[in-house]
Amino acid sequence: MDLKSQINTERLPRHIAIIMDGNGRWAKQHGKHRVFGHKNGVQAVRECTESAAELGVEYLTLYAFSTENWNRPALEVNALMALLVDTLGKEVNTLMKNDIRLQAIGDLEKLPKRTYKALLDGIEKTKDNKRMTLVLALNYSGKWEILKAAKKLAVKAKEGILVPDQIDETIFSNELSTVGIPDPELLIRTSGETRLSNFLLWQLAYSEFYFTEEFWPDFKKESLYTAILDYQKRERRFGKTSEQIS
Ligand code: IPE
Ligand code: IPE
Ligand code: MG
């Protein structure tokens, strides 16, 4: 039986988050510059997005650029920002064809103007699409997001809009950039690294983690199916005992 037909569509993760890692090492393996790896990562984004939507996944969040990634050589950062402009422009058609809505999380206003504009254009054009939401994490940092929420709540408390004691998980998560989006049930990281690198620290509190050795440009729809099948074998206990679940 092929991988796709083994997936139980009744038990799909509603939200999958992916740390797309290994573009640089993929390029090196092919004797090319790191930027070549990023360019080849784009088709993996397309394939993964289309197959997630086709399966019925509701949200797909892709970590595309962290706040720490500014520390890379300027040539690579500039190439990545230009690639984003190019890809966003070209792939809007793919998103429209697949009825996918684009959203973004991160400190977006600090992106270069052209990248920011291409992003806003894509979000605007796809805003009425319904099948799946694709969230790009750009200039994103989990700690930054939590600090921002804490500051907003502090201001609200100071202004008397709420009392500190009222602050619960719902009120807190309403201040995060993922407001309205359910927490990911499944986190995937490619390239063999097994760390979070400041991604969705709050939202991944109870997610299942799946790590694969594959570099991001090699990640195909079968890789996504394999990750989902692995997820479906797991028992999510949320602190309870196995007997309580079954
Ligand atoms: C992921 O691949 C893409 C970004 C972080 C933008 P990397 O560029 O981190 O590739 P490696 O980890 O150096 O191989
Ligand atoms: C994490 O990958 C960020 C993205 C995938 C955008 P990195 O390659 O930047 O992570 P570290 O620095 O190896 O932890
Ligand atoms: Mg990396």
Side-chain angles (χ1 to χ4, degrees), residues 34-71:
R34 297 179 55 83
V35 173
F36 182 72
H38 298 314
K39 288 189 174 149
N40 277 273
V42 174
Q43 49 82 21
V45 170
R46 190 188 310 117
E47 179 161 337
C48 196
T49 305
E50 285 191 301
S51 32
E54 200 183 284
L55 280 173
V57 172
E58 293 170 53
Y59 299 89
L60 177 68
T61 299
L62 302 177
Y63 203 5
F65 195 87
S66 73
T67 52
E68 289 78 14
N69 288 144
W70 294 113
N71 297 320

Side-chain angles (χ1 to χ4, degrees), residues 20-23 25 34 72 189 191 193 195:
M20 312 183 285
D21 200 9
N23 293 351
R25 278 162 287 163
R34 297 179 55 83
R72 292 189 178 196
R189 183 165 187 155
S191 88
E193 305 300 349
R195 54 178 171 266

Side-chain angles (χ1 to χ4, degrees), residues 37-229:
H38 298 314
K39 288 189 174 149
N40 277 273
V42 174
Q43 49 82 21
V45 170
R46 190 188 310 117
E47 179 161 337
C48 196
T49 305
E50 285 191 301
S51 32
E54 200 183 284
L55 280 173
V57 172
E58 293 170 53
Y59 299 89
L60 177 68
T61 299
L62 302 177
Y63 203 5
F65 195 87
S66 73
T67 52
E68 289 78 14
N69 288 144
W70 294 113
N71 297 320
R72 292 189 178 196
L75 185 138
E76 181 174 346
V77 171
N78 294 339
L80 273 167
M81 291 302 150
L83 184 63
L84 272 163
V85 176
D86 192 50
T87 308
L88 284 162
K90 284 189 187 143
E91 299 297 331
V92 167
N93 288 336
T94 317
L95 298 178
M96 293 309 291
K97 192 179 82 203
N98 289 286
D99 195 18
I100 298 169
R101 175 171 67 140
L102 180 69
Q103 289 203 332
I105 54 172
D107 199 355
L108 307 176
E109 286 166 31
K110 297 220 178 81
L111 290 167
K113 264 203 192 72
R114 288 184 55 210
T115 310
Y116 184 55
K117 192 184 167 298
L119 189 63
L120 292 191
D121 278 356
I123 292 172
E124 174 59 28
K125 284 193 183 121
T126 61
K127 70 177 192 309
D128 296 322
N129 292 349
K130 297 271 176 324
R131 188 152 71 139
M132 186 179 81
T133 301
L134 171 67
V135 184
L136 290 184
L138 276 172
N139 193 19
Y140 178 84
S141 143
K143 285 191 175 178
W144 162 81
E145 182 179 43
I146 290 171
L147 280 174
K148 190 169 59 102
K151 284 180 201 164
K152 280 199 210 153
L153 290 170
V155 170
K156 284 189 181 174
K158 194 176 165 214
E159 289 173 351
I161 299 168
L162 56 75
V163 281
D165 211 35
Q166 266 180 284
I167 301 172
D168 58 11
E169 288 188 17
T170 309
I171 290 183
F172 196 89
S173 47
N174 282 344
E175 299 297 341
L176 299 172
S177 47
T178 46
V179 58
I181 301 177
D183 288 344
E185 290 90 342
L186 173 62
L187 169 84
I188 299 172
R189 183 165 187 155
T190 59
S191 88
E193 305 300 349
T194 49
R195 54 178 171 266
L196 277 183
S197 303
N198 214 348
F199 191 39
L200 299 175
L201 298 177
W202 171 279
Q203 298 86 341
L204 293 172
Y206 244 116
S207 310
E208 297 295 329
F209 288 11
Y210 176 87
F211 299 106
T212 168
E213 295 292 324
E214 275 173 311
F215 292 140
W216 178 249
D218 289 330
F219 196 84
K220 299 281 177 286
K221 56 179 186 297
E222 289 75 20
S223 321
L224 179 72
Y225 300 155
T226 305
I228 295 174
L229 284 167

